[in-house]
Amino acid sequence: TKEFRDANEMLNKELDYAKVIQQSLLPPNKMKMENVVFRAQYIPCEKLSGDFYDIFEIDKENIGMYILDVTGHGVPAALLTMFSINNIKSNERLIKRYRGLKPHRNLEHFYEQFNKLNFPEEMHIVTLFATYNIKSKVLTYCSAGMNCYPIVSRKSGEIEFLDKSKGFPICQFSDFYTPEYESAKLQLHRGDKVIFYTDGLVDMQKNSRLSEEELINILKENKDTNIEELNRKISRRLVNSQKDYDDDITYFIMEVVW
């Protein structure tokens, strides 16, 4: 019994270290980059998560961002997020710019690299990659099977979805199918907000916190509030329950401030 307790304690310590490493790779949960601000929440249902997101500078005029959700959670999903980080975001200047400005090209490359390795067939990734141009305020995006579309909350109170791109989940399927990825563009204006999220945020069956309809109502009711207040309203709904999460919850909000 003592040996079992010791082994279990060691395993928990190693998982704690792995959790620190994984979360250290996330960007700050509050960011301001030129005329846009970001606010994020990251809530793994276990010590390690299958969700991940990143926001980074591509060049002086463009900001790259993505959010992804790996099948399952825990250690296997966390390992696959590490692979994803290396393949979506290149630090080599020319590649970073080329793929960053063309979200569909980035996801095509990701799909190709994923299929070169022998991942278990049941494992797959859904993700959305986007680029925001600071000068034109144009958001270019492409989805790879993301099952929840980011929501655009206009300053006017109108609601839109980022649902115009074309893509396919990142999975072991290249022997049977060559997917096409096409980016779409959206013009943003001062005061507009966009929330990117994984399905755990609005999964009433697993997490019982917030439905998509309720999320849209929160966005409408807070079209004139700043991003911090909007985040507080969403966060309050997430913690207002004693039930444990059964799925990871990740989201980030961007707002065009001028």
Side-chain angles (χ1 to χ4, degrees):
T1 302
K2 182 181 182 304
E3 289 178 357
F4 177 79
R5 284 201 306 268
D6 290 345
N8 190 57
E9 183 178 349
M10 179 61 70
L11 176 61
N12 281 324
K13 285 182 179 179
E14 290 178 351
L15 288 174
D16 286 336
Y17 283 130
K19 175 183 177 180
V20 170
I21 293 169
Q22 185 184 41
Q23 296 192 12
S24 71
L25 298 172
L26 291 166
N29 60 16
K30 297 180 182 180
M31 297 177 68
K32 185 179 188 301
M33 303 173 77
E34 297 296 334
N35 64 349
V36 62
V37 293
F38 295 90
R39 187 67 171 88
Q41 288 282 7
Y42 176 79
I43 309 171
C45 67
E46 297 181 8
K47 290 186 178 181
L48 296 175
S49 173
D51 285 2
F52 201 82
Y53 75 95
D54 202 0
I55 302 161
F56 56 95
E57 180 185 274
I58 295 172
D59 57 31
K60 295 302 180 182
E61 293 186 11
N62 295 281
I63 300 168
M65 63 199 83
Y66 66 85
I67 189 165
L68 64 83
D69 187 355
V70 174
T71 49
H73 36 261
V75 175
L79 291 173
L80 199 48
T81 64
M82 298 300 101
F83 164 81
S84 303
I85 294 166
N86 289 331
N87 279 275
I88 295 179
K89 177 184 170 183
S90 171
N91 288 318
E92 202 283 316
R93 186 177 64 84
L94 292 177
I95 295 176
K96 180 179 179 180
R97 179 174 172 78
Y98 173 65
R99 292 195 194 133
L101 298 182
K102 299 180 178 181
H104 61 279
R105 183 66 191 95
N106 198 315
L107 296 180
E108 285 172 2
H109 172 77
F110 189 18
Y111 182 84
E112 291 164 2
Q113 294 303 306
F114 185 89
N115 277 273
K116 288 180 181 179
L117 301 175
N118 294 318
F119 289 114
E121 291 184 358
E122 67 273 13
M123 296 200 76
H124 69 274
I125 303 164
V126 294
T127 182
L128 184 141
F129 187 91
T131 299
Y132 175 72
N133 184 276
I134 294 165
K135 289 188 174 181
S136 68
K137 296 186 177 66
V138 170
L139 185 75
T140 305
Y141 66 93
C142 187
S143 172
M146 206 70 188
N147 55 353
C148 46
Y149 298 119
I151 304 171
V152 183
S153 175
R154 297 289 191 181
K155 178 71 173 176
S156 62
E158 295 178 72
I159 294 293
E160 300 175 39
F161 295 88
L162 299 188
D163 59 357
K164 303 298 189 294
S165 70
K166 182 178 180 180
F168 191 74
I170 308 301
C171 58
Q172 293 282 346
F173 213 61
S174 62
D175 289 342
F176 312 100
Y177 180 62
T178 301
E180 293 182 15
Y181 295 90
E182 294 179 5
S183 296
K185 295 180 182 292
L186 182 75
Q187 180 68 59
L188 296 176
H189 304 278
R190 180 180 180 180
D192 290 345
K193 303 181 185 73
V194 185
I195 180 167
F196 302 79
Y197 60 98
T198 59
D199 61 357
L201 177 64
V202 295
D203 192 329
M204 292 298 290
Q205 184 175 359
K206 290 184 178 179
N207 289 333
S208 302
R209 295 305 203 283
L210 186 67
S211 68
E212 184 183 83
E213 182 180 356
E214 289 170 324
L215 177 60
I216 290 172
N217 287 336
I218 292 174
L219 292 172
K220 287 180 176 179
E221 291 166 1
N222 292 273
K223 63 182 179 64
D224 295 321
T225 61
N226 62 41
I227 201 170
E228 283 296 325
E229 181 61 25
L230 173 60
N231 181 61
R232 276 193 288 272
K233 293 287 180 63
I234 297 172
S235 297
R236 195 173 299 135
R237 291 297 302 273
L238 298 179
V239 300
N240 190 26
S241 172
Q242 298 301 312
K243 181 180 180 294
D244 291 334
Y245 298 113
D246 291 327
D247 194 9
D248 303 318
I249 296 175
T250 303
Y251 69 85
F252 67 87
I253 311 165
M254 66 172 287
E255 178 182 11
V256 180
V257 292
W258 55 266

